[in-house]
Amino acid sequence: LLRALIEEHATPVMLSALTRRFPSMPNPLAGRRVTAVVVGDRLNREVVIESLVHQSHRPAEVLLGGDGEWSAAERSALEAANIRVRALERDGDEVPWSRVGSVADTEWLTVWPIDRPVGSCYLLDLLVGAGLSRADLAAYGAQPLDHVDRVDLGSAIVRRSVASAHLGSQPIVRAD
C-alpha cells in the first residue's frame, strides 16, 4: 500500500500531472531520478540487464563499468526500456564516487547489486525509504525500519551531492 501511495498518489506525482501543461515549470518527479552504477568484473550481464529493466521504478540512467565494452545489443536492451546508458571510466580497479557524481545526471546514485538477485521493487523501496525519512542516504538493513551506524553502500541510495562532497575519492566498489 505504501509503495502504491508513493508511486502513484504522492504530491510530486499529482504536481507532475499539472506541470505537463506548463513546459517551463520544473518537473517535481525529477527528484526521483536515479543513476544505477554497474561496476565489477566477471558479472552476469544478462542477469543485471534483466534486473534493471524489470524494476517497477526504473533507473533514469545506467553508468556501465567493468570488464570491457558492453555490446550494442546489451546497451539496446537498456535503452529500449528508456534507460539512458553511458560508459564509466575506471582508475585501475577502482571507480571513485567523485567521478560518478560528476558524470551522473540524476539526484540519486545507487551501486547496482551484481552479486545477488534483486526484486522488482528494489529501487522503489530505496526511494520510498529516502523520501519518507528525508535522508540523504537510505539503505536496506538487516532489520526493517532499523537505524544503523554503518551503511553498506552496496545496498543503498545516496544523494549525488552528498556522494560527491563527502565520499569524494573513496572507491565505489573494488572491482573483482
Side-chain angles (χ1 to χ4, degrees):
L1 179 63
L2 188 56
R3 285 180 187 148
L5 286 173
I6 299 293
E7 191 174 33
E8 299 169 14
H9 304 291
T11 302
V13 175
M14 297 299 150
L15 288 173
S16 178
L18 292 173
T19 60
R20 283 188 211 123
R21 297 182 199 165
F22 306 100
S24 62
M25 298 287 294
N27 183 351
L29 292 178
R32 290 186 179 183
R33 296 180 70 236
V34 180
T35 296
V37 182
V38 178
V39 179
D41 294 333
R42 299 182 303 261
L43 54 92
N44 184 333
R45 292 180 179 185
E46 187 176 308
V47 171
V48 170
I49 291 167
E50 185 79 12
S51 69
L52 286 162
V53 301
H54 285 97
Q55 289 298 299
S56 60
H57 180 91
R58 290 187 188 131
E61 69 178 347
V62 175
L63 300 180
L64 302 173
D67 55 347
E69 291 292 316
W70 287 59
S71 72
E74 291 167 333
R75 294 170 68 94
S76 292
L78 293 167
E79 291 166 350
N82 293 320
I83 300 172
R84 181 179 179 193
V85 179
R86 295 192 286 162
L88 183 63
E89 294 180 26
R90 295 186 343 193
D91 289 333
D93 288 341
E94 298 179 345
V95 176
W97 280 99
S98 57
R99 169 153 316 128
V100 173
S102 68
V103 172
D105 286 338
T106 65
E107 176 79 14
W108 295 96
L109 306 173
T110 187
V111 178
W112 200 255
I114 60 171
D115 59 344
R116 63 188 180 280
V118 296
S120 62
C121 291
Y122 177 83
L123 191 52
L124 178 60
D125 287 345
L126 286 171
L127 277 170
V128 168
L132 292 177
S133 68
R134 297 188 180 254
D136 292 325
L137 188 147
Y140 282 95
Q143 298 294 321
L145 303 175
D146 194 16
H147 173 78
V148 295
D149 293 327
R150 295 181 158 247
V151 174
D152 173 12
L153 294 174
S155 62
I157 187 170
V158 60
R159 208 174 288 280
R160 183 178 57 152
S161 59
V162 171
S164 295
H166 299 288
L167 300 174
S169 63
Q170 293 180 36
I172 273 196
V173 152
R174 194 166 286 283
D176 299 329

